[in-house]
Amino acid sequence: KQWYQRRVRGPRTTMFVVLLLLLPVTAHTCASRDNYFKYVDYYPGDPDSNVILSAPHDGWIKLDTIPDRVQGCYDNVTEVCDWRHDCESNGGVKVTGKCNAVTNSDAKSSDMAKQMRDTIGEITGKVPHLVVSRLHRSKLDPNRFVDDAAQYDPTAEHAYHTFHGVIQRVHNKLSAMGPAVHFDIHGYLTHAADNWTEIGYNIQPSRLNADNFTAEESSVRSLAERVEPMGVSLDSLIRGQDSLGKLFEDEGFRVVPSPQYPRPSTGDPGKYFRGGFITRQWGSLNSGHIDAIQIEFPMWIRDNVPLYGPKFGGAMAAWIQRYYPTD
């Protein structure tokens, strides 16, 4: 999976990526936390775990040597963004509402990921892998293409390739084990009126609202194809009785999509995050048997990780045991 490709032409660092991919998945198997590069944390999972979590937006390090990510220039003809900081001096134009750089962090989302990882390990007996970005989102956003994510800063690009390089190596290991799942953990503040938890399968909210979506457009395509012969419909898998949303709902949470809230339009104002670059890049949308699911938590849940983390982790463990058994 070539996560390091750019959308626009420009200098590209590839040698580090090649060297990184040659490293073992766990450099120190006795350590619970493996710092491959000082801006990325990798927490190795158990050898027989087929689950990985990532937290790309809860970094706290703000290096003065890395420029803040800013709005890019927009080309009306090609509809492509130029993320170079000097794009205007090269004839580019910044257009309102285009090429915006989101720089706010998903506070405490990595704490949620760690707590859920612990709970999943306790219930299943297999501790998942976890990758965390330590750079603040104003400096790096790993949930984007590299040009947008790092805006051509060498240090930020180095950290970006480390983050995705570790994921690649873990995925390589999981691919040899059979079906696997990747949970990408986030948090939101932009539409707190709903205050629900959002599960993203890469399905457009308009498609969910219209009750018209297919497995081929989802980041859990592989899972959908596996369970269809068992009598589990795509609708039930995404938002019905067989869904992750149902398990979260059973813990007392408002969730979309789920049996109670099957469509984003059932909320107020009905906004919904379907999943980003990581979900599309590392899920089974285009190929493979590793599915990816983005989970967006509201702030009130992230403010009480010790209470709510185990509840979500327990529901995720039940989902894993049902759809990704390794025994």
Side-chain angles (χ1 to χ4, degrees), residues 112 116 185-188 197 295-299 301-302 312:
M112 278 293 292
M116 293 185 300
I185 308 304
H186 293 260
Y188 71 88
T197 295
I295 305 177
E296 290 268 0
F297 293 106
M299 195 68 243
I301 287 177
R302 288 175 282 141
F312 281 100

Side-chain angles (χ1 to χ4, degrees), residues 116-180:
M116 293 185 300
R117 173 180 181 261
D118 290 345
T119 302
I120 292 170
E122 291 170 2
I123 294 175
T124 66
K126 303 175 182 66
V127 177
H129 303 265
L130 171 63
V131 185
V132 178
S133 175
R134 303 180 73 199
L135 279 177
H136 192 271
R137 197 177 183 186
S138 61
K139 306 296 182 178
L140 174 70
D141 186 345
N143 198 29
R144 298 283 190 272
F145 281 97
V146 63
D147 50 341
D148 179 1
Q151 299 195 347
Y152 296 91
D153 179 81
T155 303
E157 287 194 359
H158 205 161
Y160 178 91
H161 293 317
T162 304
F163 183 88
H164 286 283
V166 171
I167 290 176
Q168 177 72 78
R169 295 199 319 282
V170 173
H171 274 236
N172 288 346
K173 181 176 183 294
L174 300 189
S175 293
M177 300 172 61

Side-chain angles (χ1 to χ4, degrees), residues 3-126:
W3 72 89
Y4 48 81
Q5 289 186 335
R6 299 188 187 278
R7 283 185 167 178
V8 298
R9 295 193 176 196
R12 182 188 303 159
T13 303
T14 56
M15 181 172 291
F16 175 75
V17 178
V18 174
L19 293 175
L20 179 65
L21 291 173
L22 295 176
L23 292 174
V25 172
T26 54
H28 306 287
T29 54
C30 61
S32 61
R33 173 176 172 273
D34 226 344
N35 193 339
Y36 277 93
F37 182 69
K38 56 186 174 181
Y39 306 127
V40 177
D41 283 341
Y42 169 52
Y43 299 78
D46 286 335
D48 54 350
S49 173
N50 59 349
V51 181
I52 176 174
L53 294 88
S54 55
H57 289 164
D58 194 16
W60 62 95
I61 299 174
K62 294 183 178 181
L63 289 181
D64 292 337
T65 54
I66 300 178
D68 285 348
R69 297 172 58 250
V70 297
Q71 181 185 16
C73 295
Y74 182 70
D75 189 319
N76 284 303
V77 177
T78 63
E79 298 184 342
V80 171
C81 297
D82 184 349
W83 296 102
R84 294 175 177 83
H85 279 253
D86 61 352
C87 64
E88 288 180 298
S89 63
N90 290 322
V93 178
K94 294 190 176 183
V95 179
T96 302
K98 300 289 186 179
C99 307
N100 293 324
V102 180
T103 58
N104 57 290
S105 67
D106 295 355
K108 303 179 183 179
S109 57
S110 65
D111 295 334
M112 278 293 292
K114 292 172 188 175
Q115 180 61 73
M116 293 185 300
R117 173 180 181 261
D118 290 345
T119 302
I120 292 170
E122 291 170 2
I123 294 175
T124 66
K126 303 175 182 66

